[in-house]
Amino acid sequence: VEFGQAGQAVITHPDVDVSNLTTAQVAAIFSGEITNWSEIGGAERPLILYVRDEGDSSTKALRSSIMGDTPFAASVAQVITSQGDMLAAVGGTPDSLGIATWPTALAKGAKVQALTIDGVAPGDAGYPMIGPLGIGYLTERQSDVQPLIDWLRSEQGRAALSEFDMITAAQ
């Protein structure tokens, strides 16, 4: 059962002095055409790129909205297999950039920043990379989870979700 959407954010180490990228710049970074922060308005420093594995929802969102089948850069620092590891890698590595589900980063208090893409933040419905948030459950357990689903879809639940930049719509 879907209850909202989440931005799959391009994230950086908090000391990176770039705050916005164009979709073309995002594609050029992940494909390896851009390898230094100075090429996109930042300091003269090498850009350290982390990616998620091909089956990950963040990678799927990046591919479907920006990259297509273009291969990732040959200079990728590491392919990260979990959300927590991505947040730790980018938050702990100066000059790094990666991709992560933004509400999760906020909920975990990760030491990363999200970049806007074409001026749009990952908590906005117009962000180019968003994906569904939902709850899966066994049919015979519906009565157990229905109160949570109802709350998540309520005005109070939507307000709580929006504190973590989750995109919700009135029901």
Side-chain angles (χ1 to χ4, degrees):
V1 174
E2 185 176 325
F3 60 85
Q5 296 184 316
Q8 302 297 329
V10 175
I11 59 169
T12 65
H13 185 273
D15 292 340
V16 167
D17 59 353
V18 171
S19 61
N20 181 67
L21 297 172
T22 65
T23 53
Q25 289 170 325
V26 172
I29 288 168
F30 281 92
S31 69
E33 294 173 47
I34 292 175
T35 60
N36 194 294
W37 287 105
S38 64
E39 297 174 72
I40 49 176
E44 175 64 43
R45 308 263 311 153
L47 189 152
I48 299 166
L49 179 63
Y50 292 103
V51 298
R52 294 292 305 269
D53 56 89
E54 289 295 335
D56 180 74
S57 61
S58 295
T59 298
K60 288 178 182 179
L62 175 65
R63 290 214 173 279
S64 70
S65 62
I66 296 177
M67 295 277 303
D69 293 332
T70 303
F72 283 137
S75 60
V76 164
Q78 188 175 353
V79 176
I80 306 289
T81 59
S82 77
Q83 179 87 276
D85 288 348
M86 176 62 79
L87 296 173
V90 173
T93 308
D95 302 315
S96 64
L97 178 143
I99 186 167
T101 305
W102 185 237
T104 302
L106 290 174
K108 290 182 175 244
K111 304 292 187 232
V112 298
Q113 63 182 353
L115 301 184
T116 57
I117 298 178
D118 297 323
V120 181
D124 295 334
Y127 195 73
M129 298 182 292
I130 57 175
L133 292 171
I135 296 176
Y137 57 89
L138 299 171
T139 305
E140 61 266 17
R141 302 299 306 263
Q142 182 171 354
S143 62
D144 295 332
V145 297
Q146 194 62 49
L148 175 60
I149 293 167
D150 293 343
W151 181 82
L152 288 168
R153 291 179 165 173
S154 73
E155 186 175 332
Q156 183 182 15
R158 289 191 320 274
L161 293 172
S162 70
E163 290 183 28
F164 293 100
D165 281 353
M166 291 184 202
I167 302 161
T168 62
Q171 299 294 314

